[in-house]
Amino acid sequence: MKEFAQLFRALDQTTKINPKVEALANYFGRVTDRDKLWTIAILSHRRPPRSVKTSQMRHWAAEEGNVPLWLFEESYHIVGDLAETIANILPPPEGENEFALSYWIDYIIDLKGKPEEEQRMLLLDAWRTMDYAERFVFNKLITGGFRMGVSQKLMVRA
């Protein structure tokens, strides 16, 4: 996920075509074929199905961040983005992980249909091993709010 989070940051920081193509080409040169396919799908607005209710994510993030729910909701109102609010409110990670994008996509898909308490524990476990950028992208993927200004033509060029 670190690689994908870095790609997201690089694409988000510019509106110029050549730096975007370069970032994509560098990324595609480093990751597995499965990660390439998921990246193309995600950037083409094809995301995994939503597997966790956003209302639950809010509660769990507030609890994990030791923040009253009302304060979380006020912060969300100011920030305007649930994925970003959650990434900001969570405590620093307790560890690291080296799992790739495709691992986390499978993780997100597998959350669907699990009992609520199991979803909570799995989500907290994931958050605890991610830095801010990884959490932000991970949350974007879960909530379905992942939108990035990259055209099909740009990906083909990269």
Side-chain angles (χ1 to χ4, degrees):
M1 182 69 92
K2 287 182 189 340
E3 297 279 350
F4 187 70
Q6 289 171 354
L7 173 66
F8 176 83
R9 200 175 10 230
L11 295 174
D12 192 46
Q13 290 177 346
T14 186
T15 57
K16 298 183 181 195
I17 292 173
N18 288 338
K20 285 187 180 196
V21 170
E22 184 179 338
L24 284 163
N26 289 337
Y27 173 82
F28 288 141
R30 292 189 311 262
V31 299
T32 65
D33 287 346
R34 193 150 185 267
D35 277 8
K36 290 174 193 172
L37 289 173
W38 270 115
T39 299
I40 291 167
I42 291 165
L43 294 178
S44 300
H45 308 291
R46 291 170 182 84
R47 61 168 180 82
R50 185 174 291 164
S51 54
V52 179
K53 293 178 185 175
T54 55
S55 59
Q56 295 296 19
M57 290 178 69
R58 294 155 112 120
H59 287 279
W60 300 335
E63 287 173 7
E64 183 72 1
N66 200 25
V67 172
L69 187 58
W70 69 266
L71 182 56
F72 178 89
E73 294 297 339
E74 288 298 316
S75 301
Y76 173 38
H77 177 71
I78 299 299
V79 172
D81 183 282
L82 180 59
E84 185 176 359
T85 304
I86 291 171
N88 279 319
I89 213 98
L90 293 171
E94 296 173 1
E96 282 190 29
N97 75 74
E98 295 300 322
F99 297 121
L101 172 65
S102 54
Y103 171 87
W104 290 113
I105 295 292
D106 290 341
Y107 197 91
I108 290 167
I109 292 169
D110 288 344
L111 287 172
K112 190 168 184 75
K114 294 216 184 291
E116 187 178 303
E117 188 55 32
E118 189 175 352
Q119 285 182 335
R120 179 182 170 277
M121 292 309 301
L122 290 168
L123 203 56
L124 293 176
D125 287 346
W127 285 337
R128 289 174 181 150
T129 65
M130 295 179 177
D131 65 21
Y132 171 84
E134 292 170 297
R135 287 173 178 171
F136 176 71
V137 171
F138 180 73
N139 293 335
K140 283 288 203 186
L141 292 171
I142 291 175
T143 62
F146 194 94
R147 289 173 191 79
M148 180 56 53
V150 176
S151 68
Q152 301 275 17
K153 186 177 173 182
L154 203 66
M155 284 188 281
V156 169
R157 192 169 153 198

